[in-house]
Amino acid sequence: MTDSSQWPVTSLERITCAATSYLEKYGAPTSLDDLANHRAVCLRSITTGALRPFEFVEAGQVTKVDMAVPLSVTGTESFLEAVRLGFGLAQMPLFHIERDLAEGRLQRVLAPYALPPGPVSILYPRARQLSPRVRVFIDWVIQQFSPVGR
């Protein structure tokens, strides 16, 4: 990023999940090879149009898995709703779907396969000097999310 800087804050745990209705119809994948027989709901970048691929960590390396994507969306709320409606498997931040998991609308699949964490950063314009208020806010956010600060 040439015109902005960033401070890493934390990482979000992400999981692979699907609606109970989808799993009843298509079954649950048990290996990455099984994904060839499944459908995915993916986020599409508003700026580039690219789909966010399914990614897993294997032997310390990120592996991308190609899947049929009958539906892609650009917004997180429509993304979640499409998954709830059973359009396919998805990879989402755990915090975003905890209630759906607890209430049985969604189920975690492929739990043994780790996903790369979702980084969370604070972005700010590099060309400007930060105001003291913004700097205090950034310091507070970083402290709130640091393992020592919890």
Side-chain angles (χ1 to χ4, degrees):
M1 298 184 167
T2 56
D3 355 353
S4 63
S5 293
Q6 62 181 334
W7 269 295
V9 175
T10 191
S11 295
L12 299 176
E13 179 182 359
R14 298 170 51 237
I15 67 166
T16 306
C17 64
T20 302
S21 61
Y22 175 91
L23 297 173
E24 288 170 354
K25 186 173 183 178
Y26 297 102
T30 58
S31 71
L32 298 187
D33 290 338
D34 289 349
L35 293 177
N37 301 315
H38 283 273
R39 302 171 182 183
V41 177
C42 292
L43 278 173
R44 184 174 295 278
S45 170
I46 293 174
T47 55
T48 67
L51 290 175
R52 181 171 190 171
F54 266 52
E55 297 178 323
F56 298 90
V57 177
E58 289 187 300
Q61 299 292 322
V62 175
T63 301
K64 293 181 183 183
V65 177
D66 290 324
M67 295 177 62
V69 182
L71 179 65
S72 63
V73 295
T74 56
T76 56
E77 292 305 317
S78 55
F79 183 41
L80 179 56
E81 194 58 32
V83 176
R84 285 178 179 152
L85 290 171
F87 283 98
L89 302 171
Q91 293 185 324
M92 299 187 150
L94 180 59
F95 85 91
H96 201 56
I97 58 172
E98 284 177 316
R99 188 172 189 175
D100 289 287
L101 293 168
E103 294 176 1
R105 284 185 296 274
L106 298 180
Q107 293 181 31
R108 185 175 194 162
V109 296
L110 299 170
Y113 296 92
L115 277 65
V120 176
S121 298
I122 295 175
L123 299 174
Y124 65 95
R126 183 187 311 218
R128 296 185 184 180
Q129 185 170 347
L130 292 177
S131 74
R133 287 182 182 178
V134 172
R135 181 65 218 195
V136 166
F137 173 74
I138 290 171
D139 290 343
W140 176 81
V141 168
I142 291 170
Q143 187 270 334
Q144 292 299 306
F145 283 98
S146 71
V148 176
R150 287 188 178 177

